Amino acid sequence: MKHPLLDYLRREILPTTHCPGCGCGQVLNAFVNAIDDLEIDPKNIISVTGIGCSSWIPSPYLKCDTLHTTHGRAVAFATGVKVIRPETNVVVIAGDGDLAAIGGNHLIHAARRNIGLAVFLVNNYIYGMTGGQVSPTTPFGTVTTTTPYSNAEYPLRIAELVAAAGANYVARWTTYHIRKLIGSMKKALQKTGFSLIEIVSQCPVSYGRRVGLRDGVAFMQYFKENSVGCKKAASMSEGELEGKIVVGKLIERDRIEFSESLRRINEGVKREE
Ligand SMILES: Cc1ncc(C[n+]2csc(CCOP(=O)(O)OP(=O)(O)O)c2C)c(N)n1
Ligand code: SF4
Ligand SMILES: [Mg+2]
C-alpha cells in the first residue's frame, strides 16, 4: 500500500541519506504533514537550506523549488526570495551550526526585520555532518571532536534570542513532541512575519554516542523525561531548569512584515512622484 504522503517526495531518490535513528526524518515527516493539513500546494513553497544534515531535510527530497545554498547563508538567500516573491511560502530548514553559528547574525537581523520566513532550526546540539564538532548549542561539559576534554562554553538559547530580536512567532519542540510540532509548523506557515521553531532533534552518530544516547529510542525517552512546558518553566529557578528543555510557544506578536513595509513605502514614494 502506498503511503498517502509519498506524493510530496521525490521518490526516485528515496530511501534517505540520513543515518538510522536520525531526527531529520521525523522533521521531514512533520513538515509534510503540516503542508498536507494546510493543503498548501508545494508549488507555492520555496525551501531554502544551508549546509549540514538538517539542510538535507527538504532538499532534495521534497517536491518543491529549493535553493540549497552555502553554509550559514540560508536566511540571507531566503530574504531575497521573500522580497521578490512575497506571496510565496518561503521556508528555511537548517541546523544549529548553520543558523546559530556562522549564520547567527543573518538570523538575528531577519527576526528584527520581521521578514516573512518560516525558519525550522534543527538543533541536534552538534555539527553532525562534519563529524561532531562543538556548536553554539552544545551543552556545557560535553566531550566533542573539538572539545576532547569538555566544552567550557554555555549553550546559546537560540529561540529566546530570536524572540527578543523581534520575530512574530517563536516556539520550541522536540522530535518526541511530533503532534505539537506539526501544529506549531502549521502556525509558523500561516503566520505573517518571521517565525522560528527550534526543533530539538537527535544525532545519535555524532552527538549521541558521546553522551550515552546511542539510538533514536534513547533520545525519545530523554526528550520525554527532560522537557518542561513554558508555563511550568516560568515558575522554576535557573537551577531547577538546568538540563531541561523548555518547550512550547515562547512568543506571538503581530508586527508588520518587512516586504509589506517595503511595498507601502514604495507605493508612498510613487504617489508623491
Ligand atoms: C563556509 C563553510 N564553513 C564550514 C563548512 C563545513 N561545514 C559543513 S556542514 C557544517 C556544520 C553542520 O552543522 P549543523 O549546521 O548543525 O548541521 P547538522 O549537520 O548538525 O544538521 C560545517 C562546519 C562549510 N561547508 N562551509
Ligand atoms: S550524522 Fe547525525 S545529524 Fe547527520 S544524518 Fe547522521 S545521525 Fe543525522
Ligand atoms: Mg547540528
Side-chain angles (χ1 to χ4, degrees):
M1 197 177 81
K2 196 178 108 186
H3 192 285
L5 299 177
L6 215 48
D7 285 342
Y8 289 99
L9 304 179
R10 294 201 172 88
R11 291 160 69 182
E12 62 277 18
I13 50 170
L14 294 176
T16 169
T17 55
H18 293 116
C19 309
C22 178
C24 288
Q26 283 158 282
V27 177
L28 176 60
N29 187 356
F31 183 45
V32 169
N33 268 284
I35 57 178
D36 189 64
D37 282 359
L38 293 175
E39 299 181 1
I40 298 177
D41 185 342
K43 286 195 182 88
N44 295 326
I45 298 175
I46 298 180
S47 76
V48 186
T49 74
I51 301 292
C53 301
S54 314
S55 289
W56 278 67
I57 291 170
S59 163
Y61 300 109
L62 197 67
K63 261 190 211 160
C64 66
D65 286 336
T66 302
L67 288 176
H68 202 134
T69 72
T70 48
H71 191 46
R73 303 293 178 255
V75 169
F77 280 85
T79 297
V81 173
K82 186 68 185 180
V83 168
I84 295 299
R85 300 277 301 275
E87 73 290 353
T88 312
N89 291 288
V90 184
V91 179
V92 173
I93 306 183
D96 46 300
D98 201 292
L99 289 167
I102 187 171
N105 261 328
H106 292 298
L107 186 69
I108 293 167
H109 293 286
R112 179 179 62 82
R113 284 180 200 114
N114 199 30
I115 176 114
L117 308 177
V119 179
F120 303 142
L121 186 160
V122 181
N123 178 10
N124 55 16
Y125 301 129
I126 204 83
Y127 288 5
M129 177 175 266
T130 43
Q133 295 84 3
V134 71
S135 98
T137 58
T138 306
F140 183 85
T142 309
V143 168
T144 73
T145 310
T146 43
T147 56
Y149 302 109
S150 171
N151 179 21
E153 300 178 8
Y154 287 99
L156 190 58
R157 283 153 61 184
I158 191 68
E160 283 81 355
L161 180 69
V162 169
N168 261 1
Y169 177 78
V170 178
R172 182 190 289 112
W173 295 106
T174 78
T175 47
Y176 169 74
H177 302 92
I178 208 73
R179 299 304 318 170
K180 296 284 191 187
L181 176 59
I182 294 169
S184 193
M185 283 178 159
K186 286 161 67 176
K187 182 84 194 175
L189 288 163
Q190 288 175 306
K191 190 83 192 165
T192 307
F194 193 90
S195 299
L196 176 126
I197 306 175
E198 178 186 342
I199 306 165
V200 178
S201 179
Q202 72 275 18
C203 169
V205 173
S206 297
Y207 177 76
R209 72 186 161 90
R210 291 273 173 57
V211 297
L213 295 166
R214 292 186 181 277
D215 57 35
V217 177
F219 268 100
M220 291 306 99
Q221 196 69 32
Y222 178 83
F223 292 158
K224 181 182 174 188
E225 286 167 4
N226 290 287
S227 296
V228 181
C230 283
K231 285 195 187 121
K232 188 173 175 203
S235 63
M236 289 168 73
S237 69
E238 194 136 326
E240 288 170 324
L241 285 171
E242 189 69 44
K244 299 290 180 210
I245 306 164
V246 178
V247 295
K249 182 173 79 177
L250 270 64
I251 205 155
E252 184 169 0
R253 47 164 88 94
D254 286 302
R255 295 164 77 218
I256 186 167
E257 194 269 332
F258 177 69
S259 37
E260 174 62 15
S261 290
L262 284 184
R263 192 188 64 77
R264 290 185 193 181
I265 291 166
N266 283 340
E267 273 186 7
V269 170
K270 273 189 205 145
R271 264 199 304 273
E272 279 173 25
E273 279 171 354

